[in-house]
């Protein structure tokens, strides 16, 4: 599983952990995260994340 880091604030999306607070189950691959996902810390979109 991969990790993706927010280019703005450094928050990390870990595919293994998902983002339960945003309704994204553990094991959800980044490409399967909804297009309107926003960073839970700074609210930027998916296009502001880079593979770690």
């Amino acid at each position: 599983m991969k990790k993706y880091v927010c280019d703005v604030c450094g928050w990390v999306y870990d595919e293994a952990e998902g983002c339960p607070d945003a309704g994204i189950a553990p094991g959800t691959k980044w490409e399967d995260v909804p297009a309107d996902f926003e960073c839970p810390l700074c609210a930027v979109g998916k296009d502001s994340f880079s593979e770690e």
Side-chain angles (χ1 to χ4, degrees):
M1 305 234 86
K2 297 178 182 177
K3 294 182 182 180
Y4 294 82
V5 62
C6 176
D7 298 329
V8 176
C9 73
W11 183 82
V12 176
Y13 175 78
D14 184 337
E15 291 180 338
E17 295 177 11
C19 187
D21 291 343
I24 301 170
T28 303
K29 294 191 176 297
W30 183 244
E31 57 265 21
D32 295 330
V33 170
D36 62 352
F37 174 79
E38 293 180 344
C39 176
L41 292 185
C42 70
V44 297
K46 276 182 76 173
D47 59 342
S48 293
F49 281 74
S50 299
E51 188 174 334
E52 189 173 60

